[in-house]
Amino acid sequence: MAQDRIRNLSLKQLHAVAAIARLGTMTRAAQELNVTPAALTARIKGLEDEIGLLLFDRTHAGLKPTDAGRELLWAIDSIGTVLETCTERLRTLRGGQGGRVSLESSRPRSTSRPGSSAASPGPIRGSRSTSWSATGAPPSSPCATTGSTSP
């Protein structure tokens, strides 16, 4: 199944696909990636074999992405955006700009008068504690330093 196989893709393979699509030839892409054209061809052939689809049409005008190639390029672009965002957030944390903010809110725990000996009834239903990172990363972000909401 192609879905299982795509999880094993390496960043080197993804960079190769992007370079070939951008430059149009194995030779120019290989030069940019500092590999031989034969090594790059083998890398792309192995990737195509692994996912079971051709990524490029080989034409007299150069290599053009197929539908599968364009789909992979979209994923490469999305991955790049996520990695750039994560890098910026990590840079902010490294610079001492990150941290954790926690807020708690709840109703008073007891309805007894001050000074009375009535015991506290325990946790109040509906109280809520929320945390998020100071970098603004939402709790679901893979780059969020902290993130939890407990009902």
Side-chain angles (χ1 to χ4, degrees):
M1 176 184 230
Q3 186 179 27
D4 292 335
R5 291 180 239 157
I6 203 162
R7 291 181 185 175
N8 295 322
L9 297 179
S10 71
L11 288 176
K12 283 185 177 184
Q13 290 172 314
L14 298 179
H15 284 253
V17 171
I20 294 165
R22 188 176 62 256
L23 299 170
T25 70
M26 288 284 185
T27 302
R28 283 189 263 162
Q31 288 171 341
E32 181 177 290
L33 297 170
N34 295 316
V35 298
T36 66
L40 185 57
T41 300
R43 187 179 293 171
I44 295 300
K45 175 79 170 104
L47 178 57
E48 290 175 329
D49 289 347
E50 189 174 332
I51 62 174
L53 296 165
L54 289 177
L55 298 175
F56 296 97
D57 285 326
R58 281 86 174 156
T59 69
H60 66 281
L63 297 170
K64 304 291 181 199
T66 61
D67 288 343
R70 284 188 292 278
E71 192 66 31
L72 191 55
L73 287 167
W74 175 85
I76 291 167
D77 185 56
S78 297
I79 291 166
T81 300
V82 169
L83 289 174
E84 286 173 18
T85 301
C86 189
T87 299
E88 286 302 314
R89 289 179 174 161
L90 291 172
R91 189 173 293 130
T92 300
L93 288 174
R94 191 172 45 242
Q97 308 248 340
R100 180 179 174 170
V101 176
S102 293
L103 298 177
E104 283 239 13
S105 65
S106 64
R107 296 184 308 251
R109 297 183 73 125
S110 172
T111 58
S112 62
R113 295 178 190 250
S116 75
S117 60
S120 173
I124 302 293
R125 291 181 191 202
S127 67
R128 186 172 181 93
S129 172
T130 304
S131 300
W132 63 88
S133 75
T135 61
S140 61
S141 167
C143 291
T145 55
T146 62
S148 65
T149 302
S150 55

